[in-house]
Amino acid sequence: MCGIIGISSDKPVSASIINSLKKLEYRGYDSAGIATLSDGNINEVKSKGRVSNLERNFDIKNLKGNIGIGHVRWATHGIPNSVNAHPHSSHNVSVVHNGIIENSTILKKDLINKGHNFKSQTDTEVIVHLITENLKTTELEEAITKTLNQLQGSFALGVVFKDIPDLIVGARRGSPLAVGYGPNENYLGSDSYALKSMTNKITYLNDSEFCIIKKNQINFFNDKGKKINKKILELSSNELSSEKGDFKHFMAKEIEEQPTTVKTGINEYIDNVNKDINIFNFPWKIEEIKSITLIGCGTAYHSCLMAKYWFEEFTSLDVNIDIASEFRYRKIRFKKESLYIFVSQSGETADTYAALDLCKKNKMKTCAVVNVIESSIARDSNFVLPIHCGPEIGVASTKAFLGQMLILYILALKFGSLKNEIEKNNYQEKINDLKNLPSLIEKTLLVDNDIQNASSTFNDAKGSMFLGRGFSYPIALEGALKLKELSYVHAEGYPAGEMKHGPLALIEEGMPVVVLAPRDSYYKKTISNMQEVIARGAKVLLITNKSKDEVISENIWETIEVENTNDDLLPFLLTIPLQKLAYYSALKKGYDIDKPRNLAKSVTVE
Ligand code: M6R
């Protein structure tokens, strides 16, 4: 969470820092701030709320300086206000920080005893005063090394110094940080996305490393303060842009992009001539893999759950799924013959990264399913399967969900084929069906009107439920998550068959309930469960697939039909109306669709 930018240039930097902060808002948006160095001063301007507030701040217009740091915040310690906004400064040092300093209380006590004054409620301010304290007795590099060794917890830092006005220090442990190379200027950023408009030449810092950035030179150091060399990478360019174009919101654009992103994913992995799946350079023999554990958070976890159904359908592998924040603290019995798959759009989610790190330390086989191929999770996994969705800016994950499901579906099919557990004709038929998926998604995207009408009912209700069985159950969870995060309506996803074991008590007259009942092998059972909720007064929005047979049930409030395909691809189509339901609910309420309250796109704190 939170975004960092730093620029050291031969020209004024405040306008470029503001522009980069706007791009970084997806990482946090409860306050923003900037500090530049000029005429022997640290100039600090901070505002509560969005970067646009900072931009309107009178002081920004007069902010001089060819070197500066900026930050967008997602609050952890201290309420979101301008005092707690970053940068935090002492008389000679200014710091922006992502992450959490776990020993800040002890360090603060000690620093107060030494005469330091604190202004904010943040843990970050401790770093500022520690550096100031260490600079009293040591030179820059040693002071930084000493400070980093005193900090516990996770951090990515950008630091500027009143008395050393030609450089920025960047440092990381746990939170990602990149540097970028430009003409007569160099950059620091919490991710490559922040730097993409300025450069495609990037170096990533590894844990415990720090760097010193001047306008025409960058030096890297290890945790002992010893100079090291690092590689410069050229970033891939994405043909799917990170601009909104004619769309009102990124989310709307990203929903509509799904036929294209799914098509790209299919083209990347499917060999049309041989009707086969290509997973190039897969580093293990299939016999070495006896079980699979899929790990993710939020929407990514839902695609893991979806994948469990597919892997179990096509292979005899033992399939486990885990929420990263649970996995990392449990007593896991690691199995050598298991493949650990980490699913993450950003590739920077702190909990998912920590779970990967744990697997790495236990020498497990690790595979990343990510959108951002330059991300920490991608870089630190043994093998990477990119989802090829292009930048996803809306905080609510949409096209990345379909992308993750697609790659996991393809992987499950391939494993089934390699293990000879899926019959060849069936395998090739499924590959054929995949080719039609983009056009079916495109047609399903036309469900707009019905969904718009239904969304008001969800907004007016005090709660709602999303039910599904089998392949539709993970989609019910995802539909409920989308509605909660965008329209702040209580929504619960449930396996339809579980209702009678408790949640049925929640159903009352007029409560909106989404029932996902495609005509698959679970259809009849789900329809029975639907009748149970209708009988208790629920207003059912049934989502099924097109068929010549009518749905045999009375008193369904609304029915929405998606296109038809084989049972295991239906989840892709069922997702579309649920994304739209959440979108239109939030739109009607006038909420900030791309930046829902209290959330951030990339969750880099645990
Ligand atoms: O970047 P990741 O896929 O690792 O992010 C995981 C979750 O934070 C993310 O999916 C979150 O649940 C979304 N906001 C849901 O729309």
Side-chain angles (χ1 to χ4, degrees), residues 95-119:
V95 171
V96 286
H97 166 219
N98 293 352
I100 294 175
I101 303 304
E102 285 165 1
N103 57 340
S104 63
T105 315
I106 304 169
L107 292 171
K108 188 170 177 177
K109 232 184 210 169
D110 188 45
L111 287 160
I112 289 172
N113 288 338
K114 287 180 174 143
H116 291 262
N117 291 320
F118 284 77
K119 293 174 265 189

Side-chain angles (χ1 to χ4, degrees), residues 297-300 343-347 349 395-397 404 481-482 485 603:
C297 301
T299 290
V343 183
S344 173
Q345 186 285 130
S346 62
T349 300
V395 165
S397 192
Q404 290 158 359
L481 175 63
K482 286 287 94 90
E485 75 174 325
V603 187

Side-chain angles (χ1 to χ4, degrees), residues 7 29 42 96 102 146 209 239 299 368 371 459 487 501 515:
I7 306 180
Y29 35 83
I42 295 175
V96 286
E102 285 165 1
K146 189 169 173 194
E209 291 175 353
E239 67 290 2
T299 290
N371 195 25
N459 282 348
S487 65
H501 300 292
V515 177

Side-chain angles (χ1 to χ4, degrees), residues 247-249 251-253 255-256 396 398 444-460 479 482-489 541 560 575-594:
F247 288 91
K248 213 166 169 188
H249 300 101
M251 184 184 179
K253 173 180 174 256
I255 291 174
E256 298 300 322
T398 52
T444 303
L445 281 166
L446 302 174
V447 292
D448 248 52
N449 285 345
D450 297 344
I451 286 287
Q452 280 199 48
N453 295 339
S455 62
S456 311
T457 299
F458 284 81
N459 282 348
D460 298 340
K482 286 287 94 90
L483 192 68
K484 292 186 244 226
E485 75 174 325
L486 287 164
S487 65
Y488 320 148
V489 168
L541 169 62
I560 285 176
T575 304
I576 307 290
L578 301 185
Q579 293 172 337
K580 293 209 168 212
L581 178 67
Y583 177 79
Y584 286 120
S585 302
L587 190 69
K588 281 198 180 138
K589 286 179 144 181
Y591 289 164
D592 193 339
I593 291 183
D594 287 329

